[in-house]
Coordinates of all heavy atoms in Angstrom, one line a residue:
I550 N 42.7 172.6 76.2 CA 42.5 171.2 75.8 C 42.4 170.3 77.1 O 43.2 170.5 78.0 CB 43.7 170.7 75.0 CG1 43.9 171.6 73.7 CG2 43.6 169.2 74.6 CD1 45.2 171.4 73.0
E551 N 41.4 169.5 77.1 CA 41.2 168.6 78.2 C 42.3 167.7 78.5 O 42.8 167.0 77.5 CB 39.9 167.8 78.0 CG 39.5 166.9 79.2 CD 38.3 166.1 78.9 OE1 37.8 166.0 77.8 OE2 37.9 165.4 79.9
V552 N 42.8 167.7 79.7 CA 43.9 166.8 80.1 C 43.4 165.5 80.6 O 42.5 165.5 81.5 CB 44.8 167.5 81.1 CG1 45.9 166.5 81.7 CG2 45.5 168.7 80.5
A553 N 43.9 164.4 80.1 CA 43.4 163.1 80.6 C 44.1 162.6 81.9 O 43.5 162.0 82.7 CB 43.7 162.0 79.5
K554 N 45.4 163.0 82.0 CA 46.2 162.6 83.2 C 47.1 163.7 83.6 O 48.0 164.1 82.9 CB 47.1 161.4 82.8 CG 47.8 160.7 84.0 CD 48.6 159.5 83.5 CE 49.4 158.9 84.7 NZ 50.2 157.8 84.2
I555 N 46.8 164.2 84.8 CA 47.5 165.4 85.3 C 49.0 165.1 85.5 O 49.8 166.0 85.4 CB 46.9 165.9 86.7 CG1 45.4 166.3 86.4 CG2 47.7 167.0 87.3 CD1 44.7 166.7 87.7
D556 N 49.4 163.9 85.9 CA 50.7 163.5 86.2 C 51.7 163.8 85.1 O 52.9 164.2 85.3 CB 50.9 162.0 86.6 CG 50.1 161.7 87.9 OD1 49.7 162.7 88.6 OD2 49.9 160.5 88.2
D557 N 51.2 163.7 83.8 CA 52.1 163.9 82.7 C 51.5 164.9 81.6 O 52.1 165.1 80.6 CB 52.5 162.6 82.0 CG 51.3 161.8 81.5 OD1 50.2 162.4 81.5 OD2 51.5 160.7 81.0
M558 N 50.3 165.4 82.0 CA 49.7 166.4 81.1 C 49.4 165.8 79.7 O 49.4 166.5 78.7 CB 50.5 167.7 80.9 CG 50.7 168.4 82.2 SD 49.2 168.9 83.1 CE 48.6 170.2 82.0
S559 N 49.1 164.5 79.7 CA 48.7 163.8 78.4 C 47.3 164.1 78.1 O 46.5 164.4 79.0 CB 49.0 162.3 78.5 OG 48.3 161.8 79.6
T560 N 46.9 163.9 76.9 CA 45.5 164.1 76.4 C 44.9 162.8 75.9 O 45.6 161.8 76.0 CB 45.4 165.2 75.3 OG1 46.1 164.6 74.1 CG2 46.2 166.5 75.7
K561 N 43.7 162.9 75.4 CA 43.1 161.7 74.9 C 43.7 161.2 73.6 O 43.5 160.1 73.1 CB 41.6 161.9 74.8 CG 40.9 162.0 76.1 CD 39.4 162.3 75.9 CE 38.7 162.4 77.3 NZ 37.2 162.6 77.1
I562 N 44.5 162.2 73.0 CA 45.2 161.8 71.7 C 46.6 161.4 72.0 O 47.4 162.2 72.6 CB 45.2 163.1 70.8 CG1 43.8 163.6 70.5 CG2 45.9 162.8 69.5 CD1 43.7 164.9 69.8
P563 N 46.9 160.1 71.7 CA 48.3 159.6 72.0 C 49.4 160.5 71.4 O 49.3 160.9 70.3 CB 48.3 158.3 71.4 CG 46.8 157.9 71.3 CD 46.1 159.1 71.1
G564 N 50.4 160.9 72.3 CA 51.5 161.6 71.8 C 51.3 163.1 71.9 O 52.2 163.9 71.6
I565 N 50.1 163.6 72.3 CA 49.9 165.0 72.5 C 49.8 165.4 73.9 O 49.0 164.8 74.7 CB 48.5 165.4 71.8 CG1 48.5 165.1 70.3 CG2 48.2 166.9 72.1 CD1 49.6 165.9 69.5
F566 N 50.7 166.3 74.3 CA 50.8 166.8 75.7 C 50.7 168.3 75.7 O 51.1 169.0 74.8 CB 52.2 166.4 76.3 CG 52.4 164.9 76.4 CD1 52.8 164.2 75.2 CD2 52.2 164.2 77.5 CE1 53.0 162.8 75.2 CE2 52.5 162.8 77.6 CZ 52.8 162.1 76.4
V567 N 50.0 168.8 76.7 CA 49.7 170.2 76.7 C 50.1 170.9 78.1 O 50.1 170.2 79.1 CB 48.2 170.5 76.5 CG1 47.8 170.2 75.0 CG2 47.3 169.8 77.4
G568 N 50.4 172.2 78.0 CA 50.7 172.9 79.2 C 50.3 174.3 79.1 O 50.0 174.8 78.0
G569 N 50.4 175.1 80.2 CA 50.1 176.5 80.2 C 48.7 176.8 79.8 O 47.7 176.0 80.1
E570 N 48.5 177.9 79.1 CA 47.1 178.3 78.7 C 46.5 177.3 77.7 O 45.3 177.3 77.5 CB 47.2 179.7 78.0 CG 47.3 180.8 79.0 CD 47.3 182.2 78.4 OE1 46.2 182.6 78.0 OE2 48.3 182.8 78.3
A571 N 47.3 176.5 77.0 CA 46.7 175.5 76.1 C 46.0 174.3 76.8 O 45.3 173.6 76.2 CB 47.8 174.9 75.2
S572 N 46.3 174.2 78.1 CA 45.8 173.1 78.9 C 44.6 173.5 79.8 O 44.4 174.7 80.1 CB 46.9 172.5 79.8 OG 47.3 173.4 80.7
C573 N 43.8 172.5 80.2 CA 42.7 172.7 81.1 C 42.7 171.6 82.1 O 42.2 170.5 81.9 CB 41.4 172.8 80.4 SG 40.0 173.3 81.5
I574 N 43.2 171.9 83.3 CA 43.2 170.9 84.4 C 42.6 171.5 85.7 O 42.8 171.1 86.8 CB 44.6 170.4 84.7 CG1 45.6 171.5 85.0 CG2 45.1 169.5 83.6 CD1 46.9 171.0 85.6
S575 N 41.8 172.6 85.5 CA 41.0 173.2 86.6 C 41.8 173.8 87.7 O 41.5 173.9 88.8 CB 40.1 172.1 87.3 OG 39.1 172.7 88.0
I576 N 43.0 174.4 87.3 CA 43.8 175.2 88.2 C 43.0 176.4 88.5 O 43.0 176.9 89.6 CB 45.1 175.5 87.6 CG1 46.1 174.3 87.6 CG2 45.8 176.7 88.3 CD1 47.4 174.6 87.0

């Protein structure tokens, strides 16, 4: 899931935060 802000792993959907394999921040 595309991450909107790396600092808190928030997404474009308010209240949804992602981490690990569910997230995509180009690590």
Side-chain angles (χ1 to χ4, degrees):
I550 301 169
E551 183 185 6
V552 172
K554 187 179 178 183
I555 295 175
D556 294 348
D557 60 6
M558 300 300 290
S559 57
T560 68
K561 293 179 180 179
I562 303 174
I565 300 296
F566 298 79
V567 291
E570 286 185 70
S572 66
C573 187
I574 56 169
S575 196
I576 286 178

